[in-house]
Amino acid sequence: MEKTFVMIKPDGVQRGYVGEIISRFESKGLKLVALKMLWIDEETAREHYAEHKGKDFYRPLINYITSGPVVAMLVEGDSAIKVVRKLVGKTDPKEAKPGTIRGDLGLDVARNVVHAADSEKSAERELNIFFDPEDIKEYELSSEEWLYE
Ligand code: IDP
Ligand code: MG
C-alpha cells in the first residue's frame, strides 16, 4: 500500500468543502490514516513549497497557504499517489476535468482547493513535515478482505 500527503487548502476550508473532499477519497476506497487541522506558519510553508522558491507565484503562494487553517491528511491505498492526483485534477482548475476536485470546485490557479504530493519522494518529504509518528494511526478496514483469510 502506498502513502500520500493531501492538504485541503485555506479556500477549501473557507468554502466548506472539507467534508466533500474527504468524502471523495473515502468513496474511491482510499484509507485515511492521519488527519489534522492546522494553521501553517511561514517557516513550514517555505519548507513545504521549497521547490517553488524563486518563481513569480512563490510569495503569493506562501501568503495564501498561511492565510487560514488547512486540513492535512495521510491517505493510503493501492497507487495512492497517482490515484489521488487523478482525483484532484490539473493544477489550473480551468483546465482540470469536470469530475475532479479542482475541476468541480475551483476556478483560480492560486486558490485550487487542494494540494496532493506528486511523487513517492515528495509524499515522504511532505508527510514528515506535517506528521509525527504518533499522528499516524495504522489500522485495518473491514473492506480489506485479507482480514478474513
Ligand atoms: P500542484 O499543486 O498541482 O502540484 P505545483 O506546480 O506544484 O502544482 O504548484 C504548487 C501550487 O502553486 C499550485 O497548486 C498553485 O496553487 C500554485 N501555482 C502553480 N502555478 C501557479 C501560477 O502560475 N500562478 C499562481 N499560482 C500557481
Ligand atoms: Mg506540486
Side-chain angles (χ1 to χ4, degrees):
M1 285 297 132
E2 196 169 72
K3 289 176 164 61
T4 191
F5 176 70
V6 182
M7 182 167 70
I8 303 172
K9 295 184 176 185
D11 60 316
V13 174
Q14 281 290 329
R15 294 170 63 215
Y17 287 135
V18 172
E20 157 128 24
I21 292 167
I22 291 175
S23 194
R24 289 185 182 217
F25 299 128
E26 290 181 318
S27 300
K28 184 71 175 173
L30 294 158
K31 180 159 75 168
L32 282 173
V33 181
L35 181 70
K36 71 166 119 173
M37 179 176 260
L38 74 156
W39 198 317
I40 299 181
D41 61 25
E42 170 84 19
E43 193 190 336
T44 307
R46 285 168 172 272
E47 193 183 354
H48 175 64
Y49 280 129
E51 65 174 301
H52 298 298
K53 197 170 178 200
K55 293 183 184 166
D56 56 352
F57 61 84
Y58 178 71
R59 193 62 247 175
L61 179 61
I62 299 295
N63 289 344
Y64 158 62
I65 208 70
T66 56
S67 68
V70 301
V71 174
M73 56 193 121
L74 191 176
V75 173
E76 192 180 274
D78 187 5
S79 305
I81 296 166
K82 188 175 93 183
V83 169
V84 165
R85 290 283 291 190
K86 276 193 175 269
L87 292 177
V88 165
K90 286 194 178 171
T91 304
D92 184 349
K94 288 189 272 296
E95 304 297 329
K97 288 196 180 121
T100 64
I101 295 169
R102 286 167 171 169
D104 289 347
L105 307 179
L107 197 57
D108 178 358
V109 70
R111 291 172 186 76
N112 58 2
V113 197
V114 62
H115 164 86
D118 63 3
S119 67
E120 227 173 287
K121 205 174 146 207
S122 43
E124 198 187 329
R125 193 184 75 84
E126 293 167 11
L127 286 167
N128 279 324
I129 296 173
F130 290 94
F131 293 110
D132 295 322
E134 64 266 28
D135 296 330
I136 297 166
K137 312 301 178 198
E138 301 287 359
Y139 63 100
E140 271 97 50
L141 293 176
S142 54
S143 59
E144 290 172 297
E145 58 192 338
W146 49 267
L147 253 185
Y148 304 107
E149 277 170 11

